[in-house]
Amino acid sequence: MSSEKERVQKRDSEIEETIGILETEMEGLIDEINELRKQRNTLIKVNAFLRDELKEILDRLSF
């Protein structure tokens, strides 16, 4: 019975260690996702600015 209890405790310990590793990895992925969202928002703003600049240049050339 003692060896069964030890195996269960060892397995529980391994599971908790795995959960800790997964939580750390998940936090890192969340940070990466947030950074990518910031970059996407910046690109959207830059794209809008460049589109407006191009439209203004094309309007000037039309005259």
Side-chain angles (χ1 to χ4, degrees):
M1 187 70 158
S2 176
S3 68
E4 179 66 24
K5 184 177 180 181
E6 289 172 359
R7 282 192 305 201
V8 169
Q9 288 175 340
K10 182 180 178 190
R11 184 68 182 137
D12 285 350
S13 175
E14 290 170 349
I15 289 171
E16 293 208 15
E17 182 180 345
T18 301
I19 288 171
I21 292 168
L22 291 172
E23 286 175 340
T24 300
E25 289 180 9
M26 189 170 68
E27 289 171 2
L29 290 172
I30 289 170
D31 291 343
E32 287 181 39
I33 288 168
N34 288 334
E35 182 60 33
L36 289 170
R37 285 181 175 153
K38 288 178 190 175
Q39 290 176 9
R40 182 196 65 197
N41 291 339
T42 299
L43 289 172
I44 289 170
K45 290 175 185 175
V46 168
N47 185 46
F49 171 78
L50 292 175
R51 185 179 52 239
D52 291 345
E53 289 292 308
L54 180 59
K55 184 178 182 306
E56 188 176 317
I57 290 169
L58 293 174
D59 287 347
R60 286 183 196 167
L61 291 175
S62 295
F63 295 121

